[in-house]
Amino acid sequence: MRVSIIGATGYTGEELLRILANHPAAEIKYLTSESQTGAKIDSIYPHFNHFYDQALVNLADLDKIVADSDVLFIALPHGHAMEIGKKVSGQGVKVIDLGADYRFKDTAVYEKWYKIPHVHPDAKAVYGLTELYREAVRTADIVANPGCYTTASILTLAPLVKNKLIDLTSIVVDAKSGISGAGRGLNLTHHLPEAFENVKAYNIAGHRHTPEIEQALSELAGSQVVISFTPHLIPMSRGILSTCYARLLDGVTASVVDEAFHALYGQEYFIRLLGRGGYPATKNTRGSNFCDLGWHIDTRTGRVIVVAAIDNLVKGAAGQAVQNLNVMFGLEERTGLTQAPLYP
Amino acid sequence: MRVSIIGATGYTGEELLRILANHPAAEIKYLTSESQTGAKIDSIYPHFNHFYDQALVNLADLDKIVADSDVLFIALPHGHAMEIGKKVSGQGVKVIDLGADYRFKDTAVYEKWYKIPHVHPDAKAVYGLTELYREAVRTADIVANPGCYTTASILTLAPLVKNKLIDLTSIVVDAKSGISGAGRGLNLTHHLPEAFENVKAYNIAGHRHTPEIEQALSELAGSQVVISFTPHLIPMSRGILSTCYARLLDGVTASVVDEAFHALYGQEYFIRLLGRGGYPATKNTRGSNFCDLGWHIDTRTGRVIVVAAIDNLVKGAAGQAVQNLNVMFGLEERTGLTQAPLYP
Amino acid sequence: MRVSIIGATGYTGEELLRILANHPAAEIKYLTSESQTGAKIDSIYPHFNHFYDQALVNLADLDKIVADSDVLFIALPHGHAMEIGKKVSGQGVKVIDLGADYRFKDTAVYEKWYKIPHVHPDAKAVYGLTELYREAVRTADIVANPGCYTTASILTLAPLVKNKLIDLTSIVVDAKSGISGAGRGLNLTHHLPEAFENVKAYNIAGHRHTPEIEQALSELAGSQVVISFTPHLIPMSRGILSTCYARLLDGVTASVVDEAFHALYGQEYFIRLLGRGGYPATKNTRGSNFCDLGWHIDTRTGRVIVVAAIDNLVKGAAGQAVQNLNVMFGLEERTGLTQAPLYP
Amino acid sequence: MRVSIIGATGYTGEELLRILANHPAAEIKYLTSESQTGAKIDSIYPHFNHFYDQALVNLADLDKIVADSDVLFIALPHGHAMEIGKKVSGQGVKVIDLGADYRFKDTAVYEKWYKIPHVHPDAKAVYGLTELYREAVRTADIVANPGCYTTASILTLAPLVKNKLIDLTSIVVDAKSGISGAGRGLNLTHHLPEAFENVKAYNIAGHRHTPEIEQALSELAGSQVVISFTPHLIPMSRGILSTCYARLLDGVTASVVDEAFHALYGQEYFIRLLGRGGYPATKNTRGSNFCDLGWHIDTRTGRVIVVAAIDNLVKGAAGQAVQNLNVMFGLEERTGLTQAPLYP
């Protein structure tokens, strides 16, 4: 199919290009950039030398882009995708948005956390956490690709919430992310001498991935879930580790927990179950679309601790977007996503 | 005073030497190493060239060491210090043990978690978390210097527990450590190509610092506290960030929390209160004896989240040991600990 | 074709597996390990979960391995491959050795630098720097895959030496390598706390890749070349940057230098010419088989400075080995090597 | 003495503050910042909490600053210090400039490489490479503190050049620097995801430290020296390793080389001679004012290879500036510079 990427110069756009370079059915039509229109993509990302040498076009050409594309990936800061989605609605092009605009069923939640009005509230977007919403993705016109922290955190907790194994008021998610998750924009916090040999938390009790995690868990639980979510910056480029804590309900045994994970994910290729006692490591997923999961029962405290590792730019962004693309276009879901992780 | 270091070639011994190089009252007498007896310390640690060129002696010389020393720092794997402490008991030399042997009031707890019998159960050791046990340290003959994770975790929670502000069953401690915390011994997990660009948890629900944290918190609470503690390895050399979660009891306001921190630590030089909303970062403490603390109230979930940053080898080991040394010998507590953190 | 890897648990073996996982014509038959016979490869490298779950076999099974394989990759420390190569000689299996045993035309050079007798001196091995020896590789039974530093250094200098543009006595090669180049064996130098935030040179005037570089350059020059080669360890996992200095002969202009690079490499897919003034960066090649080259004329000193960047485990080892495999078996040379570099 | 720092918010200014925090004779009077006037220094650098809480003042207050200071450290981009130096000339305040303005005897060289006119050409500045120019520093009113690459490179070559042991046309300097050397200003190249797991050269044949190295070597040689100098960026915060190559003149033996180093540096505290065969490592100097030197004779090529390691912010900037301060004010040269390196 013909693919265009709206916002191709950020890390998410770059990663889509990396993955699609080995996707047999995707043909890249247009790449856009407002600030660098006219530049060649391999001058901005020299590692793409021999892969891509397209010149970046401007969003002003949206009509032409839509006419020549079967699907648009939108990799822009929030606020832009809903404008574009509204414009192209009904023109036959599918949209996969890697930002936040279409992630919330209730646009009031979006407006509260993102502090701007939603301009396309009647869009019928599908939340693209593929393993949980695959059937809806299949026929969607707009897919809201989940956030990076979100993907890692929902996947850890879904089997527990869905099967009513945990106290829903007891959930704590402590997540650690490499710095590419913050994007390519310059910021003192991400300047190497500042970020190196350093760890810190940020946006405690206020990170925008919180309501997204809560929305999915609430839906699975059938009642409102509220969580504590704390993100941390780790001195590395790629990878998220999400460590999730919850209190097991009375009588829930270890083997019941095991079964919940195997029942939900046993057939999922991109979810690798390391089992009870397993220790996911971000490096084992680097460059791949896998989410590795391990869980632990703390009998002293009655808690279950589940750990997930993903590559934030792949399963946490571009990889899952391509997984959704495959589902939407009836392709084998692994198409273009068959690379083994890059280790060491 | 005359100081000897039993086990001088690990990172903890090395760090003691670094700090004592600028301590005006400490005179280094003996450095021991069983595996490298006779070698010069600056051949093992070339950065000490121009600071130390002593040859390492053997523990077989313990009598001579004791005769010529006012204080022994013991920086050995657990199990050894209690043998030495027992031997030197009553000989007038003070002992500061940087290992686990003397950390537990109830040696049964030690025996359960460390899986060896305690050979010196009647020792009157004092737990050397200086800010909380300063008066006892002052007259102690044996000080059990706390673990690195332990220091960071107890200091975050002490004001809350002491003032009965939190639900004691709700405590979760999620800690992140640089790899020097695992010592200088070789291990595939700490081989640079494996550890770089990688984060993972380890020893979930089983790390030996857990009972140590629980002992101190229980004492402060006046009742048994059980916590979930999860350590993580971060791709850096030094630093621990400890993120602690607990549910506030009904009616506990933000300003009550603020007061608890200021009341306990307001006069403590080595505890820097970043205040409510503050974000400690390990790099701001690197090479120094500070513990930086910031706390956050998550009104949506009713939790308080407290974050501590320390240098694991300083406030988490050698620095606190020197702080205790100063207290034990009646010196100004900051002596030798006046270096500003090394940034960036 | 049927492929077996002799020595599958080191980083070179691991990287062969990573690349071959996407090679349409390669079928993995046997993986050997002496120390971990019987273990499954994905228990040693968990990132291979879902890719490989073979159990490792022992070299004692060599006859069976040979019978079932069309080609053996040997990824063992030097000294072993020549024993194996001798044994399997004439049995119809091709050999690609990633170690040093077959790299020297004159086995006396091997014996001098590696300090062991050569047991297979009459082997007709071909030096597998594909771009320079492609025709010979095509029909070779034994290919000696070049070293990592070697590949980067020969490729920078070959156009200059071949076209007699530089003073052959003036060559200095200053190379910087990530730590995976030193393998998976444990060593204090590669322990993260020691290697992190650290750079140092090693084996000055004595590194074993020196005679290998000299052999290739001498052949190109038609006379003996002697160089100064200095390797350095850089705190990262993958990547080699090789900075090469030489004095231009009188009258050699910048455009003559440009032409020499374009003439030799203009048609080579895996050599990306960044041109005069170009700055290769190791990250732009990470995970790929590219060698990026840029050159600079220092008119003040009359020198040409050429910089090469490669991924030491790919173009410097397993990738080039697969490139050679493709050439030996008449496949398109890029087969299995089409991944874009992993950036950022 | 009363000290003010003009330009206190960059890494060089920050490092001066770190060092001076333990300098018994220095009293900090003013810290300036144009862009952050009024802010407190510990809000910009929170690690200075408990050390400094001065508000930053503006350069518009220069008269007051001069009146209240015995010495000004100027830590500004080039072009500013000469304006200030000219203004304060004759007012009794000493100046130590950490930038380039006063480094060149021949201001035409400055104007050629820095591309701006020199406004204070008649200043009697002394080049502050302390070990080589100590006597002149003692009585100087303006000291031009050397650049970071410069310090490491001149110190390696000085004994060889001074004693006429090497071919002056054969010098190649290949230097590797941590990223703090590029300052605190934001730049895509230094954004962690870009700089991490990456090495590259920059400014080949054009770096501005080249003429500075050449000036010092030419003076030592008594004739014009021209060198090839190549800087590289290494994924770490602090440290420079400089690897220097030169051809030994006929008849120069290894012991003659050894003697040259010992004669020049044998009594220098801050230069640690690791001897022939020694391997300096940047980590061994981190946070300290040491320059570690090791040299190697490559008998195959007739070259001597000398390696230097320094902390770019200490011996390469603020530490040497304090060393010069001590010399200028008649203090013991090590004052404030007695910290052991921070390792690991």
Side-chain angles (χ1 to χ4, degrees):
Chain A
M1 76 292 293
R2 299 165 306 159
V3 172
S4 292
I5 301 176
I6 311 302
T9 61
Y11 288 147
T12 307
E14 180 281 331
E15 192 70 0
L16 281 166
L17 285 168
R18 181 182 74 84
I19 293 169
L20 294 173
N22 275 296
H23 193 292
E27 175 198 1
I28 302 291
K29 295 299 288 186
Y30 296 100
L31 308 177
T32 81
S33 166
E34 303 313 283
S35 59
Q36 303 185 77
T37 308
K40 295 205 160 194
I41 186 70
D42 63 344
S43 71
I44 292 166
Y45 284 112
H47 70 286
F48 278 146
N49 187 345
H50 284 197
F51 290 88
Y52 297 105
D53 62 356
Q54 271 118 319
L56 295 160
V57 302
N58 201 280
L59 251 187
D61 298 320
L62 186 58
D63 287 348
K64 191 173 64 178
I65 296 170
V66 168
D68 292 351
S69 304
D70 297 308
V71 61
L72 306 183
F73 287 102
I74 306 181
L76 294 172
H78 74 269
H80 298 282
M82 58 188 173
E83 303 274 5
I84 296 168
K86 194 174 177 188
K87 261 188 226 162
V88 308
S89 175
Q91 300 190 34
V93 70
K94 290 188 183 264
V95 168
I96 301 174
D97 177 27
L98 289 96
D101 287 4
Y102 290 107
R103 290 181 187 158
F104 296 91
K105 295 240 158 92
D106 179 355
T107 53
V109 175
Y110 176 84
E111 294 181 344
K112 180 182 160 203
W113 286 80
Y114 289 85
K115 302 190 193 312
I116 51 171
H118 203 292
V119 303
H120 195 194
D122 56 340
K124 301 216 176 328
V126 169
Y127 191 65
L129 191 53
T130 328
E131 282 76 10
L132 300 181
Y133 299 95
R134 184 178 285 120
E135 288 317 306
V137 167
R138 218 178 282 286
T139 57
D141 287 322
I142 302 181
V143 165
N145 213 61
C148 51
Y149 285 125
T150 320
T151 295
S153 303
I154 296 171
L155 291 174
T156 56
L157 292 163
L160 303 172
V161 168
K162 190 180 177 207
N163 292 287
K164 304 194 187 307
L165 307 184
I166 57 173
D167 173 356
L168 297 176
T169 70
S170 72
I171 301 173
V172 168
V173 176
D174 187 288
K176 298 92 181 159
S177 175
I179 292 173
S180 67
R184 210 185 197 198
L186 300 183
N187 184 313
L188 186 58
T189 300
H190 312 136
H191 188 52
L192 187 138
E194 308 279 323
F196 200 68
E197 185 95 350
N198 200 10
V199 181
K200 63 177 178 181
Y202 66 104
N203 282 2
I204 293 181
H207 194 280
R208 287 163 167 174
H209 285 179
T210 313
E212 205 184 318
I213 302 170
E214 290 176 350
Q215 171 180 272
L217 297 184
S218 298
E219 213 169 278
L220 286 161
S223 66
Q224 181 61 35
V225 176
V226 181
I227 66 166
S228 284
F229 170 69
T230 305
H232 297 76
L233 278 183
I234 300 297
M236 59 186 196
S237 176
R238 286 173 179 247
I240 284 180
L241 195 86
S242 186
T243 311
C244 303
Y245 303 83
R247 200 178 290 280
L248 287 172
L249 292 178
D250 283 353
V252 175
T253 62
S255 64
V256 168
V257 171
D258 297 354
E259 279 162 37
F261 279 94
H262 287 287
L264 191 57
Y265 299 134
Q267 305 306 313
E268 293 294 343
Y269 178 74
F270 289 119
I271 300 188
R272 299 192 296 194
L273 297 179
L274 310 193
R276 179 151 34 102
Y279 285 102
T282 57
K283 193 159 197 153
N284 286 332
T285 67
R286 190 165 57 160
S288 80
N289 198 47
F290 293 109
C291 175
D292 285 0
L293 291 179
W295 56 95
H296 300 255
I297 310 294
D298 185 349
T299 52
R300 297 171 63 256
T301 63
R303 286 198 186 84
V304 57
I305 296 116
V306 193
V307 183
I310 61 168
D311 183 320
N312 57 302
L313 294 178
V314 190
K315 184 61 177 171
Q320 185 154 246
V322 172
Q323 188 182 357
N324 284 325
L325 173 83
N326 292 336
V327 172
M328 292 163 87
F329 285 83
L331 303 172
E332 152 60 41
E333 199 167 317
R334 304 176 204 181
T335 311
L337 296 166
T338 57
Q339 294 191 2
L342 189 73
Y343 191 98
Chain B
M1 77 292 292
R2 299 165 306 160
V3 171
S4 292
I5 300 175
I6 311 302
T9 62
Y11 287 146
T12 307
E14 180 281 332
E15 192 71 358
L16 282 166
L17 285 168
R18 181 181 74 84
I19 294 168
L20 294 173
N22 275 295
H23 193 292
E27 176 197 0
I28 302 293
K29 295 299 289 185
Y30 296 100
L31 308 177
T32 81
S33 167
E34 303 314 282
S35 58
Q36 304 185 78
T37 309
K40 295 205 159 194
I41 187 70
D42 63 344
S43 71
I44 292 167
Y45 284 113
H47 69 287
F48 279 146
N49 185 346
H50 283 199
F51 290 88
Y52 298 105
D53 62 356
Q54 271 117 319
L56 296 159
V57 303
N58 201 282
L59 252 188
D61 298 321
L62 186 58
D63 287 348
K64 191 174 64 176
I65 295 170
V66 168
D68 293 351
S69 305
D70 298 308
V71 61
L72 305 183
F73 287 102
I74 306 181
L76 294 173
H78 73 270
H80 298 283
M82 58 188 175
E83 303 275 2
I84 296 167
K86 196 176 178 188
K87 261 189 225 162
V88 308
S89 177
Q91 300 190 34
V93 70
K94 290 187 182 264
V95 169
I96 300 174
D97 176 27
L98 289 96
D101 287 4
Y102 290 108
R103 289 180 188 159
F104 295 92
K105 294 239 159 95
D106 179 355
T107 52
V109 176
Y110 176 84
E111 294 181 343
K112 179 182 161 203
W113 286 80
Y114 289 85
K115 302 191 192 312
I116 51 172
H118 203 291
V119 303
H120 194 195
D122 57 341
K124 300 216 178 324
V126 169
Y127 190 67
L129 191 55
T130 328
E131 283 76 10
L132 300 180
Y133 300 96
R134 184 178 285 118
E135 288 317 306
V137 168
R138 219 178 281 286
T139 56
D141 287 322
I142 302 180
V143 165
N145 214 61
C148 52
Y149 285 125
T150 320
T151 296
S153 304
I154 297 172
L155 290 174
T156 56
L157 292 162
L160 303 171
V161 168
K162 189 179 179 209
N163 292 288
K164 304 193 188 308
L165 307 184
I166 56 172
D167 173 356
L168 297 176
T169 71
S170 72
I171 301 173
V172 168
V173 176
D174 187 288
K176 298 92 181 158
S177 176
I179 291 172
S180 67
R184 210 184 198 199
L186 299 183
N187 185 312
L188 186 58
T189 299
H190 312 136
H191 188 53
L192 187 137
E194 308 280 322
F196 200 69
E197 185 95 349
N198 200 9
V199 181
K200 63 176 177 182
Y202 67 102
N203 282 3
I204 292 181
H207 194 281
R208 288 162 167 175
H209 285 179
T210 312
E212 203 183 320
I213 302 169
E214 290 176 350
Q215 171 180 271
L217 297 183
S218 299
E219 213 168 277
L220 286 160
S223 67
Q224 180 61 36
V225 176
V226 180
I227 66 164
S228 284
F229 171 69
T230 305
H232 297 76
L233 277 183
I234 300 297
M236 59 186 196
S237 175
R238 286 173 178 248
I240 284 180
L241 195 85
S242 186
T243 311
C244 302
Y245 303 83
R247 200 178 291 278
L248 288 171
L249 292 178
D250 283 352
V252 175
T253 62
S255 63
V256 168
V257 171
D258 296 354
E259 279 163 36
F261 279 94
H262 286 288
L264 192 57
Y265 299 133
Q267 305 306 313
E268 292 294 344
Y269 178 74
F270 289 120
I271 299 188
R272 299 192 296 194
L273 297 178
L274 311 193
R276 178 149 38 99
Y279 285 102
T282 58
K283 192 159 198 154
N284 285 331
T285 67
R286 191 165 56 158
S288 80
N289 198 48
F290 294 108
C291 175
D292 285 1
L293 290 179
W295 56 96
H296 300 255
I297 310 295
D298 185 349
T299 51
R300 296 171 64 257
T301 63
R303 286 198 185 85
V304 57
I305 296 116
V306 194
V307 184
I310 61 168
D311 183 321
N312 57 302
L313 294 178
V314 191
K315 185 61 177 169
Q320 186 155 246
V322 172
Q323 188 182 358
N324 285 324
L325 174 82
N326 293 336
V327 172
M328 293 163 86
F329 285 84
L331 303 172
E332 152 60 40
E333 199 167 316
R334 304 177 205 181
T335 310
L337 295 166
T338 58
Q339 294 191 4
L342 188 73
Y343 191 98
Chain C
M1 78 290 294
R2 300 165 305 160
V3 172
S4 292
I5 300 175
I6 311 302
T9 61
Y11 288 147
T12 307
E14 181 280 333
E15 192 70 0
L16 281 166
L17 285 167
R18 181 182 73 85
I19 293 169
L20 293 173
N22 274 296
H23 193 292
E27 177 198 0
I28 303 292
K29 295 300 289 186
Y30 296 100
L31 307 177
T32 81
S33 167
E34 303 314 283
S35 59
Q36 302 185 80
T37 308
K40 295 205 161 192
I41 186 70
D42 63 343
S43 72
I44 292 166
Y45 284 112
H47 69 286
F48 279 145
N49 187 343
H50 283 198
F51 290 88
Y52 297 106
D53 63 356
Q54 271 117 319
L56 295 160
V57 302
N58 202 281
L59 253 188
D61 298 322
L62 186 58
D63 287 348
K64 191 173 63 177
I65 295 170
V66 168
D68 292 352
S69 304
D70 298 309
V71 60
L72 306 183
F73 287 102
I74 307 182
L76 293 173
H78 73 271
H80 298 283
M82 58 188 174
E83 303 273 4
I84 296 168
K86 194 175 176 187
K87 260 189 226 161
V88 308
S89 176
Q91 300 190 34
V93 70
K94 290 185 183 265
V95 169
I96 300 174
D97 177 27
L98 290 96
D101 287 5
Y102 290 109
R103 289 180 188 159
F104 296 91
K105 295 239 158 95
D106 179 355
T107 53
V109 176
Y110 176 84
E111 295 181 343
K112 179 182 161 202
W113 286 79
Y114 288 85
K115 302 190 193 313
I116 51 171
H118 202 291
V119 304
H120 195 195
D122 56 340
K124 301 214 177 328
V126 169
Y127 190 66
L129 191 53
T130 329
E131 283 76 10
L132 299 181
Y133 300 95
R134 184 178 286 118
E135 288 316 308
V137 168
R138 217 178 283 286
T139 56
D141 287 322
I142 303 180
V143 165
N145 213 60
C148 52
Y149 285 124
T150 319
T151 295
S153 303
I154 296 172
L155 290 174
T156 55
L157 292 163
L160 302 172
V161 168
K162 190 180 177 208
N163 292 286
K164 306 194 186 306
L165 307 185
I166 56 172
D167 173 355
L168 296 176
T169 70
S170 71
I171 301 173
V172 167
V173 176
D174 188 288
K176 298 91 182 160
S177 176
I179 291 172
S180 66
R184 209 184 198 199
L186 299 183
N187 183 312
L188 185 58
T189 300
H190 312 137
H191 189 52
L192 187 136
E194 308 279 323
F196 200 68
E197 184 96 348
N198 200 8
V199 182
K200 64 176 176 182
Y202 67 104
N203 281 3
I204 292 181
H207 193 280
R208 286 163 168 174
H209 284 179
T210 312
E212 204 183 320
I213 302 170
E214 290 177 348
Q215 171 179 272
L217 297 183
S218 299
E219 213 169 281
L220 286 161
S223 67
Q224 180 62 36
V225 176
V226 181
I227 66 164
S228 284
F229 171 69
T230 305
H232 297 76
L233 278 182
I234 300 297
M236 59 186 198
S237 177
R238 286 172 178 248
I240 283 181
L241 195 84
S242 186
T243 311
C244 303
Y245 303 83
R247 200 178 291 278
L248 287 172
L249 291 178
D250 283 353
V252 175
T253 62
S255 64
V256 168
V257 171
D258 296 354
E259 278 162 38
F261 280 94
H262 286 288
L264 192 57
Y265 298 133
Q267 305 305 314
E268 292 294 342
Y269 179 74
F270 289 120
I271 300 189
R272 299 193 296 194
L273 296 179
L274 310 192
R276 179 150 34 102
Y279 286 102
T282 57
K283 193 158 198 155
N284 285 332
T285 67
R286 191 165 56 159
S288 80
N289 199 46
F290 293 108
C291 174
D292 285 0
L293 290 180
W295 56 95
H296 299 254
I297 311 294
D298 186 349
T299 52
R300 297 172 63 257
T301 63
R303 286 197 185 85
V304 57
I305 295 117
V306 193
V307 183
I310 62 169
D311 183 320
N312 57 303
L313 294 178
V314 191
K315 185 61 179 170
Q320 186 154 247
V322 172
Q323 188 181 357
N324 285 324
L325 174 82
N326 292 336
V327 172
M328 292 163 86
F329 284 83
L331 303 172
E332 152 61 40
E333 200 167 315
R334 305 178 203 179
T335 311
L337 295 166
T338 57
Q339 294 190 3
L342 189 74
Y343 191 98
Chain D
M1 78 291 292
R2 300 164 305 159
V3 172
S4 292
I5 300 175
I6 311 303
T9 61
Y11 287 147
T12 307
E14 180 280 331
E15 192 71 1
L16 281 166
L17 285 168
R18 182 182 74 84
I19 293 169
L20 294 173
N22 275 297
H23 192 292
E27 176 198 0
I28 302 291
K29 294 300 289 186
Y30 296 100
L31 307 177
T32 81
S33 167
E34 302 314 282
S35 59
Q36 303 185 80
T37 309
K40 295 204 160 196
I41 187 69
D42 63 344
S43 72
I44 292 166
Y45 284 112
H47 69 286
F48 278 145
N49 187 345
H50 283 199
F51 290 88
Y52 297 105
D53 63 356
Q54 271 118 319
L56 295 160
V57 302
N58 201 281
L59 252 189
D61 298 321
L62 186 57
D63 288 347
K64 191 173 65 177
I65 295 171
V66 168
D68 293 351
S69 304
D70 297 308
V71 60
L72 305 183
F73 287 102
I74 306 182
L76 294 173
H78 72 271
H80 298 283
M82 57 187 174
E83 304 273 4
I84 296 167
K86 195 175 176 187
K87 262 188 224 161
V88 308
S89 176
Q91 300 189 33
V93 70
K94 290 187 183 265
V95 168
I96 300 174
D97 177 27
L98 290 95
D101 288 4
Y102 291 107
R103 289 180 188 159
F104 296 92
K105 294 240 159 93
D106 180 355
T107 53
V109 175
Y110 176 84
E111 294 182 342
K112 179 183 161 203
W113 287 80
Y114 288 85
K115 303 189 193 313
I116 51 170
H118 203 293
V119 304
H120 195 194
D122 56 341
K124 301 217 178 325
V126 168
Y127 191 66
L129 191 55
T130 329
E131 283 76 10
L132 299 182
Y133 300 95
R134 185 177 285 119
E135 288 316 306
V137 168
R138 218 178 283 285
T139 56
D141 287 321
I142 302 180
V143 164
N145 213 61
C148 51
Y149 284 125
T150 319
T151 295
S153 303
I154 296 172
L155 290 174
T156 55
L157 292 163
L160 303 172
V161 168
K162 191 180 176 207
N163 293 286
K164 304 193 188 307
L165 307 185
I166 56 172
D167 172 356
L168 296 176
T169 70
S170 72
I171 301 173
V172 168
V173 176
D174 188 288
K176 298 92 182 160
S177 176
I179 291 173
S180 66
R184 210 183 199 201
L186 300 182
N187 184 312
L188 186 58
T189 300
H190 313 137
H191 189 52
L192 188 136
E194 308 278 323
F196 201 67
E197 185 95 349
N198 199 9
V199 181
K200 63 176 177 181
Y202 67 104
N203 281 4
I204 293 181
H207 194 281
R208 287 162 166 175
H209 284 180
T210 312
E212 205 182 319
I213 302 170
E214 290 176 350
Q215 171 180 272
L217 296 183
S218 298
E219 213 169 280
L220 287 161
S223 65
Q224 181 61 36
V225 176
V226 180
I227 66 164
S228 284
F229 170 69
T230 305
H232 297 76
L233 279 182
I234 300 297
M236 59 186 197
S237 177
R238 286 172 178 248
I240 283 180
L241 195 84
S242 186
T243 311
C244 302
Y245 303 83
R247 200 178 291 278
L248 287 172
L249 293 178
D250 283 352
V252 176
T253 62
S255 64
V256 168
V257 171
D258 296 355
E259 278 162 37
F261 279 94
H262 287 288
L264 192 57
Y265 298 134
Q267 304 306 313
E268 293 293 343
Y269 178 74
F270 289 119
I271 299 189
R272 300 192 296 195
L273 297 178
L274 311 193
R276 179 150 37 101
Y279 285 102
T282 57
K283 193 160 197 153
N284 285 331
T285 66
R286 191 165 56 160
S288 80
N289 199 47
F290 293 109
C291 174
D292 285 0
L293 292 179
W295 55 97
H296 300 255
I297 311 294
D298 186 349
T299 52
R300 297 171 63 257
T301 63
R303 287 198 185 84
V304 57
I305 296 117
V306 194
V307 184
I310 62 170
D311 183 320
N312 57 302
L313 293 178
V314 191
K315 184 61 178 170
Q320 185 154 247
V322 172
Q323 188 181 357
N324 285 324
L325 174 82
N326 293 336
V327 172
M328 292 162 86
F329 286 83
L331 303 171
E332 152 59 43
E333 199 166 316
R334 304 178 204 180
T335 311
L337 296 166
T338 58
Q339 295 191 4
L342 188 73
Y343 191 100

